[in-house]
Each structure stands twice: as C-alpha cells, then as structure tokens.
C-alpha cells in the first residue's frame, strides 16, 4: 500500500526517488492531497540538487552493518535536509 507514511519513511532513509514515486501515486488517487503536492515539489528540487548522490547513499544505506556507518548516514541525512 502506497501511503504518505511509507513515503516519509523512505525520505528519512534517504530513498528520495522511491518516496517521490509514492507521493505521485498518492496524488493520483487524491489530487487534492496538499501534503503529497508539497513533498513532490520539495523532492523534485532536491533531486536536481543531489542527482547522483541519492543513488550512492541508497547503496550505502542498504549495506550498512555497523553503528559507525549508521551515524555517518545520519549525519549525511541531516546535511541533506538543511
């Protein structure tokens, strides 16, 4: 099920492309969903800014297996959102 909550989780994990696709699906089902509209605008702008970084960080996220790597990913997310 494609929900705003799932899209938010993907965003927080750095999986912006996946989140964007879910937001688009939510908007198709509910064209007046303002949260989805805002998120699509936000992520579309970030996609241009971080075009190749998201793919690299997704791969990094999927392979993380230590606390140090988790903290590094967390720092990256904080930088990406600010």
């Amino acid at each position: 099920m494609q929900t705003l909550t799932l899209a938010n989780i993907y965003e927080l994990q750095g999986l912006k492309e996946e989140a964007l696709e879910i937001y688009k699906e939510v908007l198709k089902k509910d064209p007046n969903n303002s949260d989805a509209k805002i998120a699509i605008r936000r992520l579309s702008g970030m996609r241009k800014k971080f075009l190749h970084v998201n793919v690299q960080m997704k791969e990094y996220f999927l392979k993380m297996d230590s606390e140090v790597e988790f903290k590094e990913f967390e720092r990256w997310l904080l930088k990406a959102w600010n």
Side-chain angles (χ1 to χ4, degrees):
M1 178 182 278
Q2 308 294 351
T3 66
L4 290 175
T5 301
L6 181 58
N8 286 326
I9 291 169
Y10 281 174
E11 272 194 78
L12 291 172
Q13 293 176 338
L15 305 174
K16 307 230 184 293
E17 294 294 324
E18 290 83 350
L20 185 58
E21 291 306 313
I22 292 173
Y23 286 126
K24 288 178 182 177
E25 288 298 318
V26 168
L27 200 57
K28 283 181 189 175
K29 294 176 186 170
D30 179 8
N32 296 317
N33 189 309
S34 61
D35 291 331
K37 289 179 184 180
I38 291 167
I40 289 169
R41 278 189 230 119
R42 179 181 67 249
L43 289 176
S44 294
M46 289 187 78
R47 184 168 52 177
K48 292 174 189 170
K49 184 178 177 185
F50 298 105
L51 186 59
H52 299 290
V53 174
N54 287 337
V55 174
Q56 293 168 345
M57 291 311 288
K58 175 183 174 183
E59 290 171 8
Y60 183 78
F61 175 78
L62 294 173
K63 294 177 182 177
M64 289 187 318
D65 65 353
S66 73
E67 186 68 24
V68 171
E69 290 174 327
F70 177 76
K71 291 293 183 187
E72 182 62 31
F73 188 79
E74 185 177 46
R75 282 191 287 277
W76 177 83
L77 280 176
L78 290 171
K79 284 182 185 177
W81 284 105
N82 293 322

